[in-house]
Amino acid sequence: MFRLVLLGPPGAGKGTQAVKIAEKYQIPHISTGDIFRKNVKEGTPLGKKAKEYMDKGELVPDKLVVELVTDRLDAADCKNGFLLDGFPRTVFQAEKLDQYLEVKGIALDKVIDISGDEEVLLERMIGRRVCRACGAPYHIKNMPPKEEGICDICGGEVYQRADDTEETVRNRFQVYQKQTMPLIAYYEKLANIIHIQSAGSPDTVFASIISVLGV
Ligand code: ADP
Ligand code: ZN
């Protein structure tokens, strides 16, 4: 059983690793980015508010995020652990999370910080494309679809996420440096943070994560 947080700059592959970790340790994968994107797609009031910030690469206001996550952590499937992906992202969110866990008498087991070279991550993200229908990921240079703009798997439209344009990606990095990087020092003090390099294939990165977590 693990209570985990995944931390890292945009494009470091948190989502990819999160899916693998959640599967291996049989814990729910809670991605605030995914929750917001789902709300945007469904046009909910939360989605409408979140979209304004997301499209610019800004963070959604803390107030809207914290309650969403703590409500999710109250669900029965989080009793035996959870993996938070993309939360906390500010020191305020981390403090709120700590308060929540303290009241419940539980604590985080590990914070996994995946880091990478900014220029490499930028290149990765600006070239990133995704199928609108099935979500399959592509990359214009490294993994283009066989036919431009068309998904190999389902024939759906391959497009660029509004927050993957160069301008927005550069802003997301600045936001990460200003608002999320301070969390590394915050968790360093609690002595339960591990650092993983995002260079290498997803399988290599996953191997280093499980070697630290064990079993
Ligand atoms: P990435 O880590 O690649 O930037 P995510 O999918 O985690 O992408 O997040 C996408 C966007 O959703 C963020 O740029 C931000 O606007 C919003 N978001 C996600 N998680 C949070 C959070 N914990 N606090 C504030 N905004 C968030
Ligand atoms: Zn598809």
Side-chain angles (χ1 to χ4, degrees):
M1 183 187 82
F2 281 119
R3 297 189 183 95
L4 306 171
V5 164
L6 257 184
L7 210 66
K14 292 192 297 290
T16 307
Q17 296 303 324
V19 170
K20 289 168 176 281
I21 297 167
E23 197 196 353
K24 177 164 175 69
Y25 299 106
Q26 292 291 300
I27 49 178
H29 168 207
I30 304 172
S31 158
T32 42
D34 286 350
I35 296 174
F36 286 134
R37 275 187 291 278
K38 184 163 177 280
N39 276 275
V40 169
K41 210 171 159 189
E42 290 169 358
T44 67
L46 175 66
K48 287 196 178 114
K49 273 188 219 144
K51 188 175 178 354
E52 285 173 44
Y53 299 94
M54 293 171 77
D55 285 354
K56 285 185 283 191
E58 303 287 337
L59 294 185
V60 174
D62 284 334
K63 283 202 309 268
L64 294 179
V65 188
V66 172
E67 211 181 277
L68 186 85
V69 174
T70 52
D71 280 353
R72 179 66 187 86
L73 291 175
D74 279 336
D77 65 339
C78 295
K79 284 266 175 312
N80 294 318
F82 52 79
L83 172 62
L84 289 170
D85 163 14
F87 179 94
R89 239 184 172 89
T90 63
V91 171
F92 179 86
Q93 291 177 14
E95 285 169 352
K96 289 288 170 196
L97 176 64
D98 278 347
Q99 285 164 18
Y100 171 88
L101 296 173
E102 206 181 312
V103 168
K104 302 274 163 185
I106 54 181
L108 294 175
D109 295 300
K110 285 270 186 298
V111 174
I112 304 164
D113 165 45
I114 306 183
S115 57
D117 179 73
E118 187 170 319
E119 283 307 312
V120 174
L121 299 181
L122 257 169
E123 165 94 359
R124 247 198 226 171
M125 294 182 72
I126 292 168
R128 184 159 77 173
R129 300 292 182 273
V130 56
C131 171
R132 211 184 272 284
C134 76
Y138 294 95
H139 189 281
I140 47 168
K141 284 202 200 116
N142 311 333
M143 213 197 352
K146 288 199 196 82
E147 211 176 315
E148 200 189 317
I150 297 172
C151 178
D152 293 349
I153 299 165
C154 78
E157 182 203 352
V158 171
Y159 82 115
Q160 183 178 41
R161 255 169 59 176
D163 61 349
D164 277 349
T165 60
E166 176 154 1
E167 197 193 349
T168 306
V169 168
R170 291 201 182 271
N171 192 38
R172 282 161 72 194
F173 272 102
Q174 281 192 350
V175 167
Y176 171 77
Q177 266 158 17
K178 251 202 266 156
Q179 294 179 266
T180 309
M181 284 266 270
L183 278 184
I184 295 175
Y186 178 91
Y187 284 122
E188 211 78 69
K189 266 191 272 172
L190 302 175
N192 59 359
I193 187 165
I194 57 175
H195 302 283
I196 304 280
Q197 276 298 324
S198 80
S201 73
D203 285 341
T204 316
V205 176
F206 184 56
S208 20
I209 293 175
I210 57 176
S211 77
V212 183
L213 292 178
V215 286

